[in-house]
Amino acid sequence: QVQLVESGGGLVQAGGSLRLSCAASGRTFSSYTMAWFRQPPGKEREFVAAIRWSAGSAYYADYRDSVKDRFTISRDNAKNTVTLQMNGLKPEDTAVYYCAVGLFSRRTSDYDYWGQGTQVTVSS
């Protein structure tokens, strides 16, 4: 049974940092994309960042424009984990953050496995 478990959410002041982690179990995900999505209050779930293995033993990452230069996604295939380092947090980053595994895409429909979500709240 595949499981994705997020951790690291919480309450932080604007300008602060948080580090989200997601541990995957049940299968090996090294050949899949691992990603983070978020769902702000009253809004639809949206893409945040994704990372996949690329040719030449390198990783390729994609970010939504509003988090580029503030957030960094990384993964450890040996541990089946993906991490989202969030710096310079803004109130508009407030959302439930979800870990997902699937194809390299910004669409929720391209991801087959989802975590239960972790709340991130940024106060002004």
Side-chain angles (χ1 to χ4, degrees):
Q1 181 180 356
V2 174
Q3 267 195 317
L4 303 178
V5 179
E6 301 99 336
S7 60
L11 173 64
V12 65
Q13 289 188 331
S17 299
L18 282 174
R19 186 178 179 89
L20 304 183
S21 294
C22 173
S25 60
R27 65 179 300 171
T28 300
F29 292 102
S30 59
S31 61
Y32 288 84
T33 291
M34 301 187 81
W36 289 94
F37 286 76
R38 67 187 182 187
Q39 188 160 13
K43 297 184 180 181
E44 292 187 352
R45 196 170 297 189
E46 62 186 25
F47 171 78
V48 176
I51 186 168
R52 66 171 172 85
W53 183 256
S54 183
S57 300
Y59 289 112
Y60 181 80
D62 183 30
Y63 298 90
R64 70 180 296 111
D65 287 346
S66 63
V67 308
K68 205 174 294 186
D69 300 326
R70 297 189 296 123
F71 291 9
T72 302
I73 188 171
S74 60
R75 65 189 289 174
D76 186 332
N77 281 343
K79 297 181 179 178
N80 251 4
T81 58
V82 62
T83 299
L84 186 68
Q85 177 66 43
M86 305 186 294
N87 299 327
L89 282 162
K90 303 176 180 181
E92 52 264 42
D93 294 318
T94 295
V96 177
Y97 282 71
Y98 297 90
C99 172
V101 174
L103 300 176
F104 192 73
S105 167
R106 295 188 173 197
R107 299 179 299 192
T108 57
S109 58
D110 286 328
Y111 290 82
D112 296 318
Y113 304 106
W114 293 86
Q116 81 289 351
T118 185
Q119 177 69 47
V120 170
T121 303
V122 185
S123 63
S124 57

